[in-house]
Amino acid sequence: MDSAVAAVVEHLIDNVLSVVATEASLLWGVRDAIGDIKHELTSMRSLLIDADKRGASSAGEETWVTNVRNTAYDVEDVIDMFMYHINSQQIGGRFSWFLHHTIYIPQTLWVRHKIACKLQNINKTIKTTSEFKQKYHVDPIEGKSSKDIHKWVVRHAESSLFVEEDELVGIKDKRQQLLMRLVDREQQTVISIHGMGGSGKTTLVANIYKNDTVKRHFDCYAWITVSQSYDVEDLLRSMIKEFYESKKETNPSNLSSMKYRLLVNKLVSYLEKKSYLLVLDDVWEKDVLDELKVSLRDSYPGSKIILTTRNDDVAHHPFMGIPYVHRIQLLEPDEAWELFCKKAFLGSPNRICPPELESFAQELVRKCNCLPLAIVALGRLMYSKNDTSQWNQINSSLNWNLSNNPELGAVKTILLLSFNDLPYQLKHCFLYCSLFPEDHKIRRKRLIKLWMAEGFVEKIEGSTLEEVAESYLLELTFRNMLQVVERNEFGRPKRCKMHDILRELALSISVKEKFGVVHDGEEEMKECRARRISIHKTDGELKSFTSMSKIRSFLVFNKTLKALPLGSKMLRVLDLEDAPIDELPDEVFKLFNLRYLNLKRTLLKKLPNAIGRLLNLQTLDLTDTQIETLPRGIGKLQNLRHLLMFRYTGNWNDFLYYIGMQAPSNFARLKNLQAVCSIEANDDLIRQIQSMTQLTSIGISNLKAVHEKDLCISIQNMRLLKILSITVTNEEETLRMDALSSPPPNLQKLNLTGKLEKVPQWFRSLQSLTYLNLHWSRLEEDLLPHIAALPHLGLLHLNNAYVGKQLCFSTGFLKLKELQIRNSPQLNEIIIEKGVMPNLKSLYIISCMELKTVPKGIEYLQNLQQLYLKSVSMELKNHIEGEGSVDFPEVQHIPNIYIWV
């Protein structure tokens, strides 16, 4: 069974059943028809799960699943239209409701009758689909079975054992590092090699395994390919057989008939007092490691186990003590080129690319994005191509639609294994990432909100939807399905992207299953049958497509689109970030189903009161627009969870580097709001937010000293608060927060902008704080003793925060990884005592003109990787540049030093 199909359909059915459950009170008149469909879809969902577990499928089963998918889409369309009609009446308010239930009752009955007829027709289709299943049994009788795929995977993996030395590229340093660990008896027993599918894990380990020096170091050795479909007894038999054969001993009699207990006994007794090397290749689950552990527990000291896996959780699993984990990186560009030439120009002298083919070859290698599996497969494909026309044709047509080139089938099979192993919720999340442009760095927070709006995130008791969605993202990175390209100071992903070939695979699945499609402007898209469309290139305008009513998500990644071809009333997602749109069409405010509206960096200057009609909206992003005031309609958005509405001024060295918006007087009605940044303070608002105890993040600007008492009461009530940002009205206003006796216990990020007369005493109690930014505080009191002992503080930014001449880091700051000191015009000395800030990675000193020498004690910061000096004195610059400079010995251990005077 195509696992992508099953996942798409399973999610659709879940959505339909969820709507039926939550909107039951509104379904009078069509409830019976929906009840019948609910029963049938529930049965189909169970059959889909069973079919998905079996793996392979027949042509009949594929047809059945496609029919179920189309039926589920039809049900979703009908129910959405029904809910659209109901909500259009509710939006108008009580008077509209009264008119609707008196004057327009016949119209209502007609709509319900029409919908009931459609549902009855769908029910007939479902019954036909069920009869089709029974008629054809939909058993996996054609194509490759799961067993066939397992055998292919094992053969493909073990073929790495026969690769010649001169065919390998980019493993010399990795091999030497691992060889040293293998022969060192004091090192960890388990060595885990992990990385994405096709990255060369097995090839590297096979090269080490074949090494005669390695084999002589151990009494016996065995190579076992585990893969996704394994039987523990078969694995144990293979291990016994390989260990015996490695010593040229005859296999035990009756090995094939031995059961689990006898197999374990045989293996334990055989390995007793022997040092062994065991390779467990292609491990997908931690369970298999725990099951094998019992037979390996009495290993002789010095024995080693190497496992390869695509899953970070498996790589770190401590089944035989804490493992050494080696993450295999993709090839460097020059290594990728060398490997391609070895495969594509096997018959050429020295395997050198002919000059007339070089431009084509370079482009083909680029499309492989340094993935060894793809480079080898493509190189073998091109080996038989002799003239430039063939190379040009493949180069022009190659978009990794792997079904077009059987020679590239291994790439598709191996990468599909990773996709098929995902839980169905994660399949949707993964496919969704392909809607972003190639090499796009996807923001974690944006992606999480989109997944929530799409309904991909399941509700788990004790966790917020945001927390569950973030766990999905982490799982995809652990499985090497997404690459983390930027992390915060504690290793949490900030931005990620898809490998180009994985993205093409996801796109091909998305198009086939009508999950989503990308419009890249190369040809006019006259029809869109997918549920999601992502616009990447246009000439400024888009004509309406046919079948736009099917679309549920509309995303724009094009900075020239000026007009929206909105033909769907059922949109859940409208993402217009960076689009040069200065006005929203009225149709937007009729989208009752809209969950996510991203207007970031558009040209909007005003938001109409009609925004209040979007009753299901969860996320509204107005960042860096020209909007200054929110309309009263905002107070009607009872499902709103994230409201982002600040504008950066563009200069961090100014007092006011971001501006908030004015909120209406009914703002506090938003009882589901989780995060808001940033709202302009006024007397009424500060008192209002005392009731918003559910907030986890809030930003308040334009604050005045007279607001202190009410503000502190409000913050103390917000026990769930994790992020707090406060900005006073101007640089002469004093920020007073001394009345905050009990700050939120889970506060992680604190940003204070404004003059502080003294350091707040409650700073010492911020035991969860990871980030502190003090901007224009101009403290005369030494801040450092108040925060040195904070156990989790990782980032400290001080911008015009201290007016003294000396900063002395005399103790603590054990977790600090980044320190920024900006705009301290009187600061002439920084002292760092030994043992303080032991984990500091980055030090920024900016606009501190009185500082003439590097911080005293900087040589103690042995983990410091980056030193940034900007707008500093020439004396400081001259003190550290060049080997003969006065302070050069103190900074020579720092790998990266950047100086701008």
Side-chain angles (χ1 to χ4, degrees):
M1 141 103 33
D2 187 331
S3 136
V5 184
V8 169
V9 178
E10 192 173 350
H11 172 69
L12 270 172
I13 293 173
D14 278 354
N15 272 356
V16 170
L17 297 180
S18 174
V19 169
V20 170
T22 56
E23 307 292 351
S25 63
L26 300 175
L27 298 176
W28 59 273
V30 296
R31 191 175 296 155
D32 290 343
I34 290 178
D36 291 342
I37 289 177
K38 176 183 176 182
H39 174 74
E40 292 289 345
L41 289 180
T42 303
S43 300
M44 286 181 170
R45 183 180 183 277
S46 300
L47 292 169
L48 283 167
I49 294 172
D50 292 340
D52 196 16
K53 288 177 180 177
R54 289 200 306 271
S57 62
S58 66
E61 188 168 48
E62 293 289 352
T63 302
W64 176 75
V65 172
T66 300
N67 289 339
V68 174
R69 178 200 63 203
N70 293 337
T71 301
Y73 277 147
D74 289 341
V75 174
E76 184 181 50
D77 287 342
V78 172
I79 290 181
D80 277 353
M81 278 302 297
F82 181 77
M83 298 310 299
Y84 177 83
H85 172 77
I86 295 296
N87 277 270
S88 66
Q89 309 303 322
Q90 291 184 336
I91 286 171
R94 294 183 64 185
F95 183 66
S96 173
W97 185 93
F98 173 77
L99 288 178
H100 166 68
H101 281 76
T102 53
I103 301 172
Y104 300 116
I105 281 178
Q107 180 185 350
T108 303
L109 293 175
W110 178 83
V111 170
R112 291 176 185 274
H113 174 73
K114 185 177 179 182
I115 289 172
C117 290
K118 287 185 177 181
L119 290 174
Q120 288 169 4
N121 289 333
I122 291 173
N123 251 323
K124 292 178 183 177
T125 303
I126 290 177
K127 286 181 170 56
T128 303
T129 304
S130 299
E131 290 168 2
F132 177 93
K133 178 187 179 301
Q134 293 171 1
K135 181 178 180 180
Y136 293 100
H137 304 296
V138 296
D139 291 328
I141 56 176
E142 299 177 17
K144 287 186 177 181
S145 67
S146 298
K147 186 175 287 188
D148 292 332
I149 294 172
H150 173 71
K151 289 179 178 178
W152 182 90
V153 170
V154 172
R155 288 197 303 271
H156 186 274
E158 293 183 353
S159 66
S160 299
L161 291 165
F162 305 100
V163 175
E164 296 297 327
E165 185 76 22
D166 64 352
E167 294 182 56
L168 301 175
V169 171
I171 71 167
K172 185 177 180 180
D173 292 339
K174 306 170 192 172
R175 176 177 57 192
Q176 188 59 35
Q177 180 184 1
L178 294 174
L179 281 172
M180 291 175 62
R181 286 192 164 271
L182 273 179
V183 299
D184 188 343
R185 290 178 179 271
E186 302 301 319
Q187 298 282 1
Q188 293 102 316
T189 299
V190 179
I191 299 172
S192 296
I193 314 294
H194 87 102
M196 69 177 290
S199 58
K201 303 180 294 295
T202 301
T203 302
L204 170 62
V205 174
N207 183 262
I208 295 170
Y209 183 78
K210 290 191 305 179
N211 187 290
D212 289 335
T213 303
V214 170
K215 289 185 174 180
R216 286 194 298 268
H217 186 77
F218 298 96
D219 295 328
C220 56
Y221 41 86
W223 176 291
I224 307 297
T225 302
V226 180
S227 76
Q228 286 170 301
S229 302
Y230 67 87
D231 179 275
V232 172
E233 291 185 359
D234 286 343
L235 294 180
L236 291 170
R237 290 188 189 98
S238 297
M239 287 165 62
I240 293 170
K241 184 178 178 181
E242 291 248 339
F243 280 134
Y244 271 76
E245 290 180 355
S246 72
K247 292 179 66 67
K248 296 182 170 53
E249 297 174 354
T250 304
N251 290 329
S253 59
N254 303 321
L255 183 61
S256 60
S257 61
M258 286 185 186
K259 296 302 180 184
Y260 177 77
R261 185 170 61 84
L262 288 176
L263 289 167
V264 170
N265 284 337
K266 177 65 69 176
L267 196 54
V268 168
S269 61
Y270 184 78
L271 294 178
E272 188 176 7
K273 296 185 179 180
K274 288 187 179 74
S275 65
Y276 64 83
L277 171 62
L278 173 62
V279 173
L280 298 173
D281 185 39
D282 198 24
V283 182
W284 290 79
E285 299 177 5
K286 293 182 286 189
D287 290 349
V288 67
L289 300 177
D290 291 329
E291 290 182 274
L292 293 176
K293 175 183 178 180
V294 64
S295 59
L296 306 171
R297 66 183 188 278
D298 293 323
S299 60
Y300 191 71
S303 296
K304 301 289 181 180
I305 300 172
I306 305 176
L307 67 87
T308 71
T309 181
R310 306 182 191 191
N311 194 322
D312 188 67
D313 282 344
V314 173
H316 285 87
H317 185 52
F319 77 109
M320 297 283 285
I322 303 299
Y324 168 75
V325 179
H326 175 82
R327 178 176 176 81
I328 196 162
Q329 303 295 329
L330 299 180
L331 296 176
E332 296 294 329
D334 58 332
E335 295 172 339
W337 175 252
E338 180 186 351
L339 180 60
F340 179 80
C341 290
K342 282 189 173 186
K343 303 300 178 182
F345 309 114
L346 190 61
S348 303
N350 299 320
R351 302 183 182 182
I352 295 175
C353 175
E356 67 273 15
L357 297 178
E358 187 163 347
S359 62
F360 300 116
Q362 291 281 7
E363 180 61 18
L364 287 172
V365 172
R366 186 195 67 78
K367 290 181 177 181
C368 293
N369 206 12
C370 296
L371 182 67
L373 172 70
I375 296 167
V376 170
L378 194 57
R380 288 172 178 163
L381 172 66
M382 302 312 297
Y383 171 67
S384 60
K385 314 301 179 187
N386 300 316
D387 57 62
T388 55
S389 63
Q390 290 177 303
W391 279 71
N392 183 43
Q393 189 272 327
I394 290 179
N395 185 40
S396 301
S397 62
L398 183 68
N399 60 356
W400 292 105
N401 187 354
L402 303 173
S403 58
N404 292 341
N405 294 295
E407 297 92 335
L408 305 181
V411 180
K412 181 177 183 179
T413 301
I414 288 174
L415 296 182
L416 267 177
L417 288 174
S418 292
F419 175 77
N420 291 337
D421 190 56
L422 294 172
Y424 89 90
Q425 293 96 339
L426 265 63
K427 285 188 174 82
H428 288 96
C429 296
F430 173 74
L431 293 178
Y432 203 87
C433 293
S434 67
L435 299 177
F436 288 82
E438 184 176 310
D439 292 325
H440 187 88
K441 295 179 180 179
I442 309 170
R443 297 194 309 274
R444 180 191 78 242
K445 292 181 179 180
R446 183 183 190 181
L447 190 57
I448 282 173
K449 294 178 181 71
L450 284 165
W451 286 346
M452 288 169 52
E454 290 282 356
F456 297 160
V457 184
E458 62 181 334
K459 294 179 180 178
I460 296 179
E461 190 173 350
S463 299
T464 64
L465 290 173
E466 290 81 1
E467 290 168 342
V468 175
E470 184 161 352
S471 74
Y472 290 178
L473 177 60
L474 290 175
E475 182 72 12
L476 287 172
T477 62
F478 288 160
R479 290 170 177 261
N480 288 286
M481 301 297 281
L482 291 178
Q483 300 170 308
V484 179
V485 293
E486 185 181 347
R487 296 180 182 271
N488 66 12
E489 67 279 9
F490 295 102
R492 188 182 180 191
K494 288 183 69 174
R495 295 175 187 267
C496 59
K497 72 171 187 175
M498 298 185 88
H499 188 280
D500 291 352
I501 299 176
L502 275 175
R503 179 177 175 271
E504 291 296 336
L505 178 69
L507 273 178
S508 67
I509 295 171
S510 295
V511 171
K512 178 184 175 184
E513 303 311 324
K514 300 180 183 177
F515 178 88
V517 66
V518 166
H519 178 58
D520 57 12
E522 293 183 3
E523 58 185 46
E524 185 178 350
M525 183 179 285
K526 296 180 180 179
E527 186 174 32
C528 181
R529 295 188 175 275
R531 298 310 248 200
R532 299 162 186 88
I533 184 168
S534 182
I535 310 298
H536 291 188
K537 293 180 183 177
T538 69
D539 56 3
E541 291 188 4
L542 275 176
K543 297 178 181 178
S544 292
F545 313 129
T546 58
S547 299
M548 279 287 285
S549 61
K550 305 292 184 184
I551 293 177
R552 294 302 188 272
S553 293
F554 190 90
L555 300 96
V556 175
F557 296 94
N558 180 274
K559 297 186 178 182
T560 63
L561 182 67
K562 296 179 180 178
L564 300 178
L566 291 177
S568 174
K569 300 176 181 179
M570 307 303 164
L571 279 183
R572 293 193 191 102
V573 167
L574 182 56
D575 192 323
L576 302 175
E577 184 168 317
D578 288 313
I581 293 173
D582 56 12
E583 188 175 359
L584 291 175
D586 292 338
E587 287 78 8
V588 169
F589 305 107
K590 298 176 183 178
L591 302 174
F592 87 95
N593 206 26
L594 199 66
R595 266 80 168 163
Y596 177 95
L597 179 57
N598 184 1
L599 303 172
K600 187 174 185 176
R601 287 192 294 271
T602 59
L603 304 179
L604 289 175
K605 296 180 179 179
K606 186 178 180 181
L607 195 65
N609 198 52
I611 190 74
R613 302 177 68 184
L614 304 179
L615 298 180
N616 286 306
L617 200 62
Q618 296 175 354
T619 296
L620 177 59
D621 193 341
L622 305 172
T623 306
D624 283 330
T625 62
Q626 299 301 309
I627 299 170
E628 296 180 356
T629 304
L630 295 178
R632 279 190 60 81
I634 287 288
K636 297 179 180 179
L637 305 181
Q638 291 301 303
N639 288 299
L640 197 64
R641 298 176 69 90
H642 302 274
L643 179 56
L644 307 174
M645 48 180 191
F646 57 90
R647 181 171 75 252
Y648 287 113
T649 61
N651 191 347
W652 278 77
N653 287 324
D654 288 344
F655 164 75
L656 199 62
Y657 61 93
Y658 77 92
I659 301 170
M661 294 183 192
Q662 296 177 23
S665 59
N666 60 356
F667 179 76
R669 294 180 184 175
L670 303 177
K671 296 303 181 184
N672 281 307
L673 196 64
Q674 303 289 304
V676 55
C677 186
S678 176
I679 49 177
E680 296 273 305
N682 59 57
D683 295 347
D684 183 53
L685 178 75
I686 296 298
R687 285 190 293 270
Q688 272 195 65
I689 62 174
Q690 291 180 13
S691 64
M692 302 184 77
T693 57
Q694 80 284 357
L695 286 175
T696 60
S697 174
I698 188 170
I700 302 173
S701 55
N702 199 37
L703 195 76
K704 299 177 181 177
V706 296
H707 295 143
E708 178 190 16
K709 184 177 179 181
D710 288 332
L711 174 66
C712 291
I713 292 173
S714 295
I715 293 173
Q716 283 181 187
N717 287 341
M718 298 174 187
R719 308 312 288 169
L720 303 177
L721 202 65
K722 294 181 179 179
I723 301 174
L724 175 62
S725 181
I726 303 291
T727 300
V728 297
T729 185
N730 59 58
E731 57 185 287
E732 300 306 320
E733 188 78 32
T734 299
L735 176 56
R736 300 187 188 281
M737 296 188 66
D738 296 331
L740 184 61
S741 58
S742 177
N746 298 313
L747 196 64
Q748 296 174 1
K749 296 184 178 181
L750 177 61
N751 176 23
L752 299 180
T753 299
K755 182 177 175 58
L756 290 171
E757 292 181 338
K758 60 181 180 179
V759 180
Q761 290 300 309
W762 48 269
F763 269 21
R764 295 178 185 271
S765 65
L766 299 176
Q767 296 299 296
S768 299
L769 199 69
T770 62
Y771 169 73
L772 176 61
N773 177 32
L774 296 183
H775 189 85
W776 246 253
S777 304
R778 292 169 288 174
L779 281 162
E780 297 181 5
E781 180 186 2
D782 188 357
L783 163 75
L784 302 183
H786 295 262
I787 60 174
L790 297 182
H792 299 292
L793 187 62
L795 263 74
L796 177 59
H797 293 178
L798 304 175
N799 191 353
N800 195 8
Y802 178 62
V803 297
K805 294 183 178 182
Q806 182 192 81
L807 275 176
C808 180
F809 294 84
S810 58
T811 184
F813 297 102
L814 298 182
K815 291 288 184 70
L816 198 66
K817 294 189 176 182
E818 179 178 300
L819 172 62
Q820 289 191 19
I821 302 173
R822 293 172 176 255
N823 290 312
S824 294
Q826 300 182 63
L827 185 67
N828 58 29
E829 186 178 38
I830 299 175
I831 301 172
I832 301 169
E833 300 285 355
K834 189 173 183 179
V836 180
M837 298 189 287
N839 292 301
L840 196 69
K841 295 286 195 304
S842 301
L843 174 59
Y844 297 76
I845 299 175
I846 301 170
S847 298
C848 299
M849 295 301 294
E850 288 299 309
L851 198 63
K852 310 299 182 184
T853 63
V854 298
K856 294 176 182 177
I858 196 172
E859 65 273 15
Y860 299 138
L861 304 179
Q862 288 301 305
N863 288 313
L864 195 62
Q865 300 296 309
Q866 300 173 115
L867 174 63
Y868 292 85
L869 303 173
K870 185 175 181 180
S871 299
V872 294
S873 65
M874 283 299 298
E875 291 96 322
L876 176 54
K877 180 176 185 291
N878 293 334
H879 265 235
I880 61 176
E881 282 197 331
E883 294 188 10
S885 302
V886 177
D887 291 336
F888 180 75
E890 280 71 35
V891 298
Q892 62 181 348
H893 66 288
I894 306 172
N896 303 296
I897 300 177
Y898 307 94
I899 306 176
W900 299 273
V901 176

